[in-house]
């Protein structure tokens, strides 16, 4: 691929939308996973009580909450990255020339 402005072949994908989308999705997923983490913590505490008594309640509750937050962050991050990829393709200039510093997108029709 060549830069349409200077003709250089030093062109790189910018992926700005993917990076931002992934960060926002991860944060939102972790927060949304908090509600799932609460029920996961309750389930973990109940199971921990059965298996290991009072210490198991605390350990199981923390493990359930941690697992819920991690799953939420992972799912949110992936969804945000996918949304950012669409933003890169349709709205932002997804390519940048490292020689002249200009950004551009490929033409939709030739």
């Amino acid at each position: 691929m060549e830069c349409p402005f200077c003709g250089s072949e030093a062109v790189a994908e910018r992926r700005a939308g993917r990076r931002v989308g992934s960060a926002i999705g991860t944060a939102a997923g972790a927060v949304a996973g908090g509600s799932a983490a609460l029920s996961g913590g309750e389930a973990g505490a109940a199971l921990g009580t059965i298996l290991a008594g009072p210490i198991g309640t605390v350990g199981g509750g923390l493990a359930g909450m941690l697992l819920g937050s991690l799953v939420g962050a992972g799912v949110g991050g992936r969804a945000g990255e996918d949304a950012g990829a669409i933003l890169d393709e349709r709205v932002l200039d997804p390519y940048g020339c490292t020689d002249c510093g200009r950004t551009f997108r490929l033409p939709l029709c030739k």
Side-chain angles (χ1 to χ4, degrees), residues 25-34 36 66-78:
T26 299
V31 170
L66 180 64
L67 187 60
S69 292
L70 288 175
V71 169
V75 170
R78 180 65 185 157

Side-chain angles (χ1 to χ4, degrees), residues 3 7 14 21 49-50 57 59 62 69 76-77 81 91:
C3 173
R14 296 177 57 221
T49 301
I50 294 169
T57 302
L62 290 175
S69 292
E81 183 177 349
V91 178

